[in-house]
Amino acid sequence: MALNDLTPQLRTRLNRMEKWAGVFVFIAIVIVLVAIGYYAYSSAVRKGWNRKKVPYFTLVTSAEGLKIGDPVMLMGFKAGTITDVQPNAPGDYYNVTVRFEIWEPYFGYLWTDSDVRLKAGLLGGKTLEVTKGGQSYTTDALSATYQEKDGRFYMWEDPSKDNPEGQWSEEPVRSDSMGYMLVCYEGADVMNSANTLVSRISDGLPGFLALTNQVAALLEESTRLIVNANGTLTNLQPVVKNVETISTILTNEHGGLGEWVIPAELNAQVVDTVGAVKGTVQTSETNVVMLSQSLNDSLENLADITGNLRQQVQANSYMLSSISTLVLDLDDLIQGLKRNWLLKGSFGPQTNMPPESILVPSLGGGSSNSENGSEKEGGK
Amino acid sequence: MLKKNNIGWICLGVVLVCGGCRSVPPPEPKPAAVLKVEQLALTAASVSEAGNWVAAENTWQEVAAQYGELDRREEQAVALHNQAVAAFRQNKYEVAETVAEQAAAINRQGNEWWKNQILLLQIEGKKSPQKAASRLESLLVEAKKKSLEMSSPILWAILVNEQGVLLLGDGQAESAKVMFNKVLEKGNLDAVWVLVVRSNLALCAEQSTDYMGALQTWQEILEKARKLAEREIIATALEGVGRCELRLGNTEEARVALQRAMDNYGRLNMSVEQTRVKELLEILMKEITK
């Protein structure tokens, strides 16, 4: 429908509405643009796009946990980002080269004695942290790593054979330059250490379990031996008596019955047997002593337990107070039930009844003067 | 699951129990001294019931003293009365009479006074029958005056029994028998007391030389006493049986019965009765050896 077909009033109203719609769209576009601008600004701040930055690199053993874009921390602040992670040549001593840039003003903290710490997180990630330099006082050649002249950065070149004192680079640092190298100290990998520890424990545990099994078996065997020793001791009692009797006969002086009856070889065997029996008896005695010692220890432990219980009861006056309160409350409850008209019959009569006079009828007669019967008047 | 009826009953029970808690006021607490003497009185009653008259006399004496200190005169009179009974059962008539008179001095009227008077009558019956007869006469007048037969039939029955005993001791067996029958006509007597009164009737029959009737009565008493486990009446009945058998010439039966009676008296520590039966046995053995 063409706009000219409308009435003038309606046409005026539609024009006004279109104007407001245009305003709304404009405001929406402005809001979106502002939001996009704010996001771009915060991203630039976060990523240091609008900051001056200088390159550094370090050498590490492994690139595990390191990614391009990860932050580089200095004194707890985000001071830069990792820009590149590359493996070195196979013949190099270090395995990986990590390049990173440090934003202003943080590169002012980095001196020639600064270093890099590679910290491992619990979840497997790694954080690159640079340390503040200039305060180690370990060398006279301390210097800042970069200096700015005319908007350009010049890198400090460490002392070498050709340049024993070190110097600032003659050319300003280019954007593709490797930058100043900081020595990296790789901290202990917590997860690796934990894994190593767990693996060592796992390796050692079977041995430990085997050891405990051996101890248990040893104890079981000892118990069995003691039981057997007890049985042996019991069985040996008559044997020992017989041996004692025999030995009494055999220990006679030369010419005794033993020497006459028993040949010399048999006599020697008997002596050996008696010696063996004596050893067995001594072993049994030792076992019995050990057994009695164990029993004594058990009794002492039992005494300790009862002693502790007594001490607890004595020390815990609150417990005794609670028991006393419980008894009193129970007495109140029973007294209350005794007063209940429905239940008082269950408790029987009062015990302290008043005494009654005893009166019994007499048993008369001339031949019998005794009193018989023992009933109280009113008692039945 | 609880049904509606069960819930109703439970609610009713809760209401009754909770309401009952408030319906009866709590009893007043007794002083410790009163509780102590009441406990001692219970002990005295127990030893009296067990027939340990020596301990009973000492305990009742202590109870009477403690009630006296508490100025509880009525309970003190009861304790003195029971102390007198214990002394009387040990044949300590003088002590029994003195203590019974102390109790009677406290009780000026009422059933307790009657109990004291009947006890004094029993003591005097052993100690001085003439004095007992005088007291009995005054008591009968008082009983008639106070209508004791109506107000306290038990006490009246015992009084009449004592009258019969006195008559029996005076050799008036027929009159005594009337008295004893009057006692038995009272239907609410205790079973043991009935046996005592029937024993008196058997004695009346013996005094009337009706040994067969007496023997039969004694045997019936013995049978019932065994059912009631009344050891003193068993011993008394055995003595009566032995005595009647002796009079009837059945020496062997008499010997057996008297021997058993003597043994029973010995177990009951009734030395007087044991000595009496022993004398009878000696007479019997002499007759047997003739």
Side-chain angles (χ1 to χ4, degrees):
Chain A
M1 185 174 62
L3 191 62
N4 294 329
D5 296 339
L6 299 175
T7 60
Q9 294 80 6
L10 190 57
R11 197 182 306 149
T12 303
R13 191 185 292 177
L14 282 175
N15 285 335
R16 196 181 301 163
M17 187 176 290
E18 286 175 349
K19 191 186 298 177
W20 280 112
V23 171
F24 176 78
V25 170
F26 177 76
I27 291 173
I29 291 171
V30 168
I31 290 173
V32 169
L33 289 175
V34 168
I36 291 172
Y38 180 76
Y39 175 76
Y41 172 76
S42 60
S43 295
V45 169
R46 190 173 65 252
K47 296 186 178 181
W49 288 343
N50 55 345
R51 291 183 179 182
K52 295 177 182 175
K53 53 185 79 82
V54 291
Y56 290 88
F57 76 96
T58 187
L59 301 170
V60 298
T61 308
S62 170
E64 185 181 0
L66 296 174
K67 296 194 300 290
I68 295 172
D70 281 353
V72 179
M73 308 300 290
L74 172 67
M75 298 182 299
F77 297 98
K78 183 179 177 182
T81 57
I82 296 174
T83 55
D84 193 18
V85 180
Q86 291 292 332
N88 295 336
D92 289 354
Y93 180 77
Y94 289 103
N95 300 333
V96 179
T97 298
V98 179
R99 296 174 64 186
F100 56 94
E101 57 189 15
I102 298 295
W103 307 326
E104 72 168 338
Y106 299 113
F107 50 74
Y109 293 89
L110 299 184
W111 283 45
T112 54
D113 59 344
S114 293
D115 54 45
V116 179
R117 308 290 170 90
L118 198 59
K119 292 187 175 180
L122 288 174
L123 299 178
K126 287 181 179 176
T127 304
L128 214 61
E129 182 175 351
V130 292
T131 60
K132 177 184 173 184
Q135 295 178 344
S136 63
Y137 307 109
T138 55
T139 175
D140 294 332
L142 279 180
S143 170
T145 51
Y146 286 92
Q147 69 173 351
E148 185 179 8
K149 287 181 180 177
D150 302 330
R152 293 183 177 183
F153 288 95
Y154 294 86
M155 188 178 71
W156 175 257
E157 294 176 349
D158 288 331
S160 62
K161 290 180 181 178
D162 300 333
N163 184 17
E165 294 182 354
Q167 62 179 10
W168 294 103
S169 60
E170 295 177 353
E171 297 294 328
V173 176
R174 297 194 307 270
S175 59
D176 58 345
S177 170
M178 289 289 290
Y180 188 83
M181 193 198 81
L182 295 175
V183 178
C184 180
Y185 296 99
E186 297 185 50
D189 189 340
V190 177
M191 288 305 294
N192 284 339
S193 300
N195 288 334
T196 306
L197 183 63
V198 169
S199 62
R200 285 183 181 174
I201 291 173
S202 300
D203 293 341
L205 197 57
F208 179 75
L209 293 175
L211 184 63
T212 56
N213 290 337
Q214 289 175 1
V215 169
L218 182 62
L219 289 174
E220 189 178 354
E221 184 68 17
S222 301
T223 306
R224 192 180 61 79
L225 281 174
I226 289 172
V227 172
N228 290 337
N230 288 336
T232 306
L233 184 65
T234 306
N235 294 331
L236 275 176
Q237 284 180 351
V239 176
V240 170
K241 282 194 173 182
N242 293 334
V243 168
E244 186 181 355
T245 307
I246 294 169
S247 62
T248 304
I249 298 170
L250 292 179
T251 52
N252 286 341
E253 294 296 329
H254 295 293
L257 181 63
E259 279 202 351
W260 285 102
V261 174
I262 302 174
E265 296 79 9
L266 186 57
N267 194 3
Q269 290 178 4
V270 167
V271 170
D272 293 341
T273 306
V274 169
V277 168
K278 184 181 177 183
T280 306
V281 169
Q282 285 178 347
T283 305
S284 301
E285 280 183 353
T286 305
N287 289 334
V288 169
V289 168
M290 288 172 59
L291 188 62
S292 66
Q293 183 65 36
S294 300
L295 185 61
N296 192 26
D297 292 343
S298 300
L299 290 175
E300 284 181 354
N301 290 332
L302 183 62
D304 289 342
I305 291 171
T306 57
N308 288 333
L309 185 61
R310 182 176 62 85
Q311 286 176 357
Q312 285 181 10
V313 171
Q314 283 181 345
N316 197 346
S317 58
Y318 179 73
M319 181 192 298
L320 296 177
S321 172
S322 300
I323 293 172
S324 174
T325 307
L326 178 65
V327 171
L328 289 176
D329 291 344
L330 188 62
D331 182 60
D332 287 345
L333 174 65
I334 297 298
Q335 295 301 328
L337 291 178
K338 281 183 178 177
R339 293 199 294 271
N340 187 293
W341 65 272
L342 198 62
L343 304 175
K344 65 181 180 181
S346 303
F347 292 95
Q350 291 276 344
T351 53
N352 293 342
M353 296 292 286
E356 293 180 351
S357 297
I358 301 171
L359 190 64
V360 292
S362 297
L363 183 62
S367 58
S368 177
N369 295 323
S370 70
E371 303 293 326
N372 290 287
S374 59
E375 293 303 311
K376 288 183 285 187
E377 193 269 340
K380 297 265 183 178
Chain B
M1 293 295 290
L2 289 173
K3 295 180 180 178
K4 287 185 178 180
N5 290 338
N6 293 338
I7 294 173
W9 281 112
I10 291 171
C11 291
L12 180 62
V14 170
V15 168
L16 288 174
V17 169
C18 295
C21 290
R22 294 184 300 172
S23 63
V24 180
E28 292 184 4
K30 291 182 178 179
V34 175
L35 288 174
K36 180 183 173 187
V37 68
E38 285 181 348
Q39 196 65 37
L40 190 61
L42 278 177
T43 305
S46 298
V47 293
S48 296
E49 196 168 352
N52 186 356
W53 299 111
V54 177
E57 184 186 2
N58 295 332
T59 312
W60 281 119
Q61 187 179 8
E62 180 63 26
V63 172
Q66 290 190 18
Y67 272 127
E69 291 173 357
L70 294 171
D71 198 25
R72 296 205 167 198
R73 303 290 286 170
E74 292 182 3
E75 288 85 351
Q76 184 187 12
V78 171
L80 288 170
H81 174 96
N82 291 341
Q83 182 189 350
V85 170
F88 177 55
R89 297 302 299 269
Q90 297 174 75
N91 302 319
K92 296 158 70 173
Y93 301 133
E94 293 292 339
V95 176
E97 187 177 22
T98 304
V99 178
E101 283 177 349
Q102 290 177 9
I106 297 173
N107 296 316
R108 298 288 182 180
Q109 59 184 357
N111 286 348
E112 290 299 320
W113 180 84
W114 277 107
K115 288 179 182 178
N116 298 146
Q117 296 302 316
I118 292 172
L119 177 60
L120 282 168
L121 183 64
Q122 291 174 342
I123 296 168
E124 288 169 353
K126 300 295 181 184
K127 185 183 171 188
S128 170
Q130 292 177 348
K131 195 176 175 181
S134 172
R135 182 180 292 273
L136 176 65
E137 190 176 350
S138 62
L139 286 177
L140 287 173
V141 172
E142 189 70 17
K144 191 173 183 181
K145 185 178 172 183
K146 297 284 180 61
S147 303
L148 185 65
E149 185 178 2
M150 300 301 292
S151 62
S152 181
I154 301 294
L155 291 174
W156 178 85
I158 295 177
L159 182 61
V160 173
N161 178 73
E162 300 309 317
Q163 185 183 8
V165 169
L166 286 176
L167 289 171
L168 187 63
D170 198 31
Q172 303 178 43
E174 290 301 321
S175 302
K177 187 177 177 181
V178 173
M179 296 295 124
F180 295 138
N181 283 325
K182 281 173 71 176
V183 173
L184 288 177
E185 286 173 2
K186 289 290 176 186
N188 55 352
L189 283 181
D190 184 79
V192 179
W193 289 14
V194 170
L195 291 181
V196 173
V197 177
R198 291 199 65 187
S199 299
N200 286 331
L201 278 172
L203 289 172
C204 290
E206 282 188 60
Q207 202 175 69
S208 305
T209 66
D210 181 12
Y211 298 117
M212 282 300 295
L215 178 62
Q216 187 179 356
T217 306
W218 281 123
Q219 286 174 339
E220 291 173 3
I221 293 169
L222 179 62
E223 186 179 353
K224 291 186 178 177
R226 281 173 178 161
K227 290 179 181 176
L228 294 173
E230 283 293 329
R231 296 178 300 168
E232 289 188 22
I233 298 179
I234 289 171
T236 305
L238 283 170
E239 183 189 357
V241 169
R243 215 168 36 235
C244 292
E245 294 284 9
L246 180 61
R247 299 299 181 192
L248 292 170
N250 302 323
T251 53
E252 184 57 26
E253 289 81 356
R255 187 191 65 78
V256 172
L258 289 174
Q259 185 69 48
R260 290 171 58 193
M262 191 176 69
D263 294 341
N264 279 284
Y265 282 135
R267 293 191 192 97
L268 294 170
N269 293 322
M270 300 172 72
S271 57
V272 175
E273 290 79 2
Q274 189 180 20
T275 305
R276 187 179 64 217
V277 177
K278 189 177 180 183
E279 290 172 354
L280 268 178
L281 267 173
E282 287 174 353
I283 295 170
L284 175 63
M285 294 309 291
K286 285 179 183 175
E287 288 186 3
I288 290 173
T289 52
K290 277 183 182 176

